[in-house]
């Protein structure tokens, strides 16, 4: 969330170093895939774990495939400059629209996680004899 907002502010500030900072924050924030896989490994029985890991990977690569098309859509919408919005602290154009879109998407996901996510522990743990 913070990285997408920072990235959207790069045209306002116009500093290349700020772009590097925004991309760094985005990279750090996107490091949650390992946590997601660890959580799935923790809460799923071993017999269905592969299926759930496959679903996570499929969704990940679907996102990698679809998001460039969304960026291209924003480019097509804003490229003529007809829909560009500029104020002192807000610029909406073909470069910032994907960042604002991702910000809105992240806010929706945070809301859904806060509202519906319930932490679970594995229902049955395998106990090995201690000898």
């Amino acid at each position: 969330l913070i990285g997408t907002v920072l990235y959207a502010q790069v045209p306002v500030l116009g500093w290349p170093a700020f772009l590097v900072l925004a991309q760094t924050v985005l990279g750090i924030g996107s490091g949650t895939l390992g946590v997601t896989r660890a959580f799935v490994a923790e809460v799923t029985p071993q017999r269905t774990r592969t299926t759930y890991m496959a679903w996570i990977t499929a969704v990940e690569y679907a996102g990698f495939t679809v998001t460039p098309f969304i960026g291209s859509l924003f480019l097509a919408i804003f490229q003529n400059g007809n829909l560009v919005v500029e104020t002192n602290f807000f610029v909406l154009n073909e470069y910032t629209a994907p960042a604002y879109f991702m910000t809105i998407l992240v806010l929706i996901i945070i809301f859904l996680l806060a509202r519906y996510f319930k932490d679970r522990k594995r229902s049955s743990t395998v106990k090995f004899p201690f000898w």
Side-chain angles (χ1 to χ4, degrees), residues 20-125:
V20 172
L21 172 70
Q23 291 289 26
T24 302
V25 172
L26 273 169
I28 291 169
S30 65
T32 60
L33 186 59
V35 175
T36 304
R37 288 182 178 165
F39 176 77
V40 169
E42 176 68 28
V43 300
T44 57
Q46 191 171 5
R47 67 182 180 281
T48 59
R49 189 171 301 149
T50 304
T51 303
Y52 286 109
M53 292 293 188
W55 274 105
I56 289 173
T57 303
V59 169
E60 173 191 3
Y61 283 101
F64 287 153
T65 304
V66 171
T67 51
F69 291 110
I70 294 170
S72 298
L73 175 67
F74 285 124
L75 177 64
I77 291 171
F78 290 100
Q79 74 180 355
N80 295 332
N82 296 337
L83 296 175
V84 173
V85 177
E86 280 192 49
T87 64
N88 290 339
F89 299 105
F90 181 79
V91 175
L92 182 63
N93 59 24
E94 67 267 22
Y95 304 113
T96 61
Y100 287 123
F101 173 77
M102 289 305 295
T103 300
I104 292 168
L105 190 62
V106 168
L107 288 171
I108 291 169
I109 291 169
I110 288 172
F111 169 76
L112 291 173
L113 280 171
R115 176 74 172 98
Y116 297 107
F117 179 76
K118 291 183 171 67
D119 192 14
R120 301 185 307 183
K121 298 291 181 200
R122 187 180 298 177
S123 58
S124 64
T125 58

